[in-house]
Amino acid sequence: MRAAVLQAVGDKHLDLCYDIEMVEPTSHEVVVRITHTGICHSDVSAMNGTIPQDVPCVLGHEGAGVVEAVGSEVTATQPGDHVIAVWSPPCGQCEVCLVHQKPNLCSAIMYHPDRLRPPFSQGGTDIAAMARTGTFTEYTVLYEHGVVKIDDDIPLDIASLVGCGVMTGVGAAINTAKVQPGSKVVVFGAGGVGVSAIQGARIAGAAEIVAVDINADKFDKIKEFGATHAVIPEELDDLKSELTSGHGFDYAFECIGIPSVMRTAYEQTRRGGTCCIVGVGRLDEFVQFNAFELFYNEKKLIGSYYGGVDARVDFHRLLRLWRHGQLDLEGMISRRLTFDQINDGIDAVRRGEVVRQVVEF
Ligand code: NAD
Ligand code: ZN
């Protein structure tokens, strides 16, 4: 089958392969025919070493498709079901899921022995799957908790986006930061995740939503998703003075993954406000805070992992918002690509040109 493989960290392009094989599913696994996958910046970050990644590896973690086969003990899904892949599925039974009530942080399935074996191979060489998901492929094998069944009438292209970028951004606003009605919000980075944070802030009732991006060509488009203002970084201080009397924003979301922007997001947050880090930076890069300001400003500095998702619940919430016209998913698809165009899509992400691109198999 076809799959896009990262052969070595640092490679600029993925190896488009046509002879990839998949392991047999275990009794608790599900084979999914991937019909659509989004390209997330995290895929590019796995390529350049920002996100640690075993290689060779089938990238992609934002996908949807149709269940092709299920293991003998799988009960929640059956062949023919339309599903979204979950890159960090909850087991629903552990202390993290039940006591901490943080299903997005459950690692029981992520590191389940079934999922630790490489799901793909090529000519006898094992091939890993990004986030144990691997959606840049025609078929993938997922643990049963790693799929969420959706209604058959939901188009699978927009469903795929819910699997990462949309859930992460909307969830950061409504689950993690819990944006309040009437608040003032700034979002750094208007890619798929940032635009979703903008939409999440709009859904939560924010009064002002400022998008900050280096790519001004995107600004008209970004406003269609609910940003009330869009500026390049150099213009932000003036706008902050105008909108907040210089106090800063109630909420700031960093949706890029750059330490200096994380620091700026903290500075743009008002005293007592919330600075939410969604972007993923490198393990060996650091953000500095002086030992006085953390107490003095009383800002809440919080990370958001997968938008605080409980995939079993939140994917359906987002799709209901979409159904009733409150979450624009179609508008987020900047380009539709074939498998052979995946590397063009990767380059477009690097240039910051797109909101989201969807690859159709
Ligand atoms: P993207 O590449 O689509 O968008 C990034 C945007 O930031 C682009 O519009 C680009 O023009 C802009 N940008 C780049 N440098 C900038 C700067 N210095 N100042 C202002 N704007 C700048 O990325 P995406 O797919 O939306 O992902 C965004 C980040 O979120 C990535 O770091 C990704 O790894 C991360 N992510 C995190 C999670 C999570 O669970 N927290 C999940 C998915 C993605
Ligand atoms: Zn992602």
Side-chain angles (χ1 to χ4, degrees):
M1 63 189 193
R2 293 174 293 166
V5 176
L6 176 65
Q7 298 288 6
V9 173
D11 283 358
K12 291 278 178 252
H13 287 129
L14 300 178
D15 191 6
L16 302 184
C17 302
Y18 299 80
D19 58 347
I20 301 297
E21 291 177 52
M22 192 176 64
V23 294
E24 285 295 316
T26 65
S27 59
H28 283 285
E29 286 184 323
V30 174
V31 175
V32 179
R33 178 168 61 83
I34 297 291
T35 60
H36 297 84
T37 179
I39 304 179
C40 174
H41 201 104
S42 298
D43 297 307
V44 178
S45 295
M47 296 176 74
N48 65 28
T50 300
I51 295 177
Q53 181 60 64
D54 292 340
V55 287
C57 173
V58 172
L59 293 189
H61 58 281
E62 183 178 278
V66 181
V67 173
E68 191 81 7
V70 299
S72 57
E73 291 176 67
V74 172
T75 52
T77 182
Q78 55 188 13
D81 284 351
H82 290 196
V83 294
I84 299 176
V86 189
W87 59 256
S88 186
C91 74
Q93 293 173 343
C94 69
E95 188 177 354
V96 176
C97 287
L98 293 177
V99 183
H100 305 168
Q101 296 190 20
K102 282 284 184 188
N104 62 320
L105 302 183
C106 173
S107 56
I109 305 295
M110 187 85 120
Y111 298 107
H112 188 284
D114 283 7
R115 298 303 298 150
L116 289 181
R117 76 196 201 292
F120 304 109
S121 64
Q122 183 182 35
T125 303
D126 286 344
I127 300 184
M130 181 177 182
R132 290 160 183 82
T133 308
T135 57
F136 289 176
T137 171
E138 286 174 277
Y139 295 90
T140 192
V141 54
L142 301 169
Y143 204 73
E144 58 182 323
H145 298 66
V147 295
V148 167
K149 177 177 163 22
I150 57 170
D151 292 342
D152 288 352
D153 66 330
I154 295 170
L156 288 165
D157 53 357
I158 58 163
S160 70
L161 305 187
V162 172
C164 183
V166 169
M167 185 64 242
T168 297
V170 177
I174 64 178
N175 289 339
T176 311
K178 298 185 171 65
V179 170
Q180 294 298 300
S183 53
K184 302 173 186 184
V185 174
V186 60
V187 176
F188 294 86
V193 174
V195 159
S196 299
I198 289 167
Q199 296 210 65
R202 170 176 51 71
I203 290 163
E208 278 114 6
I209 304 171
V210 176
V212 185
D213 203 288
I214 47 176
N215 192 344
D217 293 344
K218 283 179 155 179
F219 288 173
D220 286 343
K221 181 75 189 163
I222 292 163
K223 287 180 180 166
E224 292 172 15
F225 296 104
T228 55
H229 304 72
V231 292
I232 55 172
E234 295 73 19
E235 294 169 347
L236 182 59
D237 278 335
D238 285 348
L239 190 60
K240 173 190 174 192
S241 302
E242 184 189 321
L243 294 179
T244 75
S245 309
H247 293 304
F249 294 87
D250 300 314
Y251 302 89
F253 294 90
E254 202 278 359
C255 302
I256 306 168
I258 299 177
S260 61
V261 182
M262 295 178 185
R263 177 68 217 183
T264 303
Y266 181 80
E267 284 163 9
Q268 292 288 332
T269 305
R270 69 162 166 81
R271 284 181 79 194
T274 299
C275 175
C276 183
I277 306 298
V278 189
V280 180
R282 300 179 59 92
L283 284 165
D284 57 1
E285 289 180 335
F286 296 88
V287 185
Q288 276 203 325
F289 299 93
N290 69 54
F292 185 84
E293 64 187 344
L294 291 172
F295 126 84
Y296 182 74
N297 289 325
E298 208 182 278
K299 298 182 188 182
K300 289 178 276 296
L301 179 62
I302 51 177
S304 184
Y305 182 85
Y306 209 164
V309 67
D310 183 340
R312 301 161 297 184
V313 178
D314 287 338
F315 285 6
H316 301 296
R317 289 168 77 202
L318 297 193
L319 290 169
R320 280 203 295 280
L321 287 164
W322 163 79
R323 234 184 234 295
H324 297 290
Q326 296 179 63
L327 180 63
D328 178 3
L329 298 178
E330 289 87 352
M332 290 183 60
I333 301 177
S334 308
R335 291 173 78 202
R336 290 171 184 279
L337 307 173
T338 62
F339 174 71
D340 293 338
Q341 294 171 318
I342 282 187
N343 284 316
D344 290 348
I346 302 269
D347 289 338
V349 173
R350 284 202 189 94
R351 291 192 297 267
E353 276 173 12
V354 288
V355 176
R356 261 308 187 251
Q357 302 168 101
V358 173
V359 180
E360 300 178 329
F361 279 96

